[in-house]
Amino acid sequence: MSAELSWKDQYLRELDAAEHREQQWQQHRMLLERMLGRMKGQSEALATQLETMQQKIVTMETESELMREQVLKERWQRYKGEMTIAIVDIDLFKRINDSYGHKAGDRVLQLLARELKKDCVRQILSPVLAVRNLWCCYRKPQVSRPNK
């Protein structure tokens, strides 16, 4: 009968061990579920932040367009329509910003604007009005006509 008890004792010990492992797995599962819940919450918060930032970018781009339009209108009125607007497309400008940063890209725009000013000695818009294109605004030269 002692062999029978030891078999039963061994069975009960194994049963207790299995129940203990089951409890550990349940605790581990609950912990993972809580972590997943927190991560979902963080993910939703990040998605909301991303959406907000995207809306701000759209707003900034719209404001930039409106500012550019306003400046052009003011210049047009000031010069009574006697001006030329040029849009300079800078090939591979994105590569400059991506490789060297936006400060370097801004510097390239400033240097280009300076060169354009030297060549044209007329009024030029700020080079920071566009990201990839440089908008230039020149007054028409005053041409004196010979008296006949």
Side-chain angles (χ1 to χ4, degrees), residues 68 75 94 124 132:
R68 184 179 310 134
R75 299 261 168 107
K94 184 179 181 328
I124 186 171
R132 184 167 177 256

Side-chain angles (χ1 to χ4, degrees), residues 3 6 9 20 30 33-34 36-37 50 55 59 70-71 78 80 91 94 98-99 112 114 117 123 135 141:
S6 70
D9 288 340
H20 181 70
M30 288 172 38
E33 286 175 352
R34 282 196 304 264
L36 182 61
L50 177 62
Q55 289 172 351
T59 301
Q70 181 64 32
V71 169
R78 185 183 322 155
K80 297 172 182 57
D91 289 336
K94 184 179 181 328
D98 291 348
S99 300
L112 182 60
R114 185 181 309 151
K117 266 185 169 180
Q123 193 148 359
W135 286 64

Side-chain angles (χ1 to χ4, degrees), residues 28-123:
H28 188 65
R29 182 175 168 239
M30 288 172 38
L31 175 66
L32 290 174
E33 286 175 352
R34 282 196 304 264
M35 289 173 61
L36 182 61
R38 278 192 297 248
M39 292 170 93
K40 282 181 180 177
Q42 290 171 345
S43 174
E44 290 169 2
L46 288 172
T48 301
Q49 284 179 333
L50 177 62
E51 186 177 326
T52 301
M53 292 176 84
Q54 288 172 332
Q55 289 172 351
K56 284 181 182 180
I57 289 171
V58 168
T59 301
M60 288 172 59
E61 288 174 351
T62 303
E63 288 173 354
S64 178
E65 288 291 324
L66 291 173
M67 181 183 76
R68 184 179 310 134
E69 186 178 322
Q70 181 64 32
V71 169
L72 289 174
K73 282 180 182 178
E74 287 173 6
R75 299 261 168 107
W76 185 263
Q77 290 171 353
R78 185 183 322 155
Y79 301 128
K80 297 172 182 57
E82 294 189 12
M83 62 184 236
T84 300
I85 298 173
I87 301 173
V88 180
D89 184 18
I90 305 169
D91 289 336
L92 306 173
F93 183 72
K94 184 179 181 328
R95 191 178 296 170
I96 294 170
N97 275 342
D98 291 348
S99 300
Y100 303 103
H102 290 280
K103 282 187 179 183
D106 288 348
R107 185 69 181 135
V108 167
L109 290 175
Q110 291 167 354
L111 293 171
L112 182 60
R114 185 181 309 151
E115 290 304 311
L116 289 170
K117 266 185 169 180
K118 283 181 194 175
D119 289 343
C120 298
V121 196
R122 291 169 184 77
Q123 193 148 359

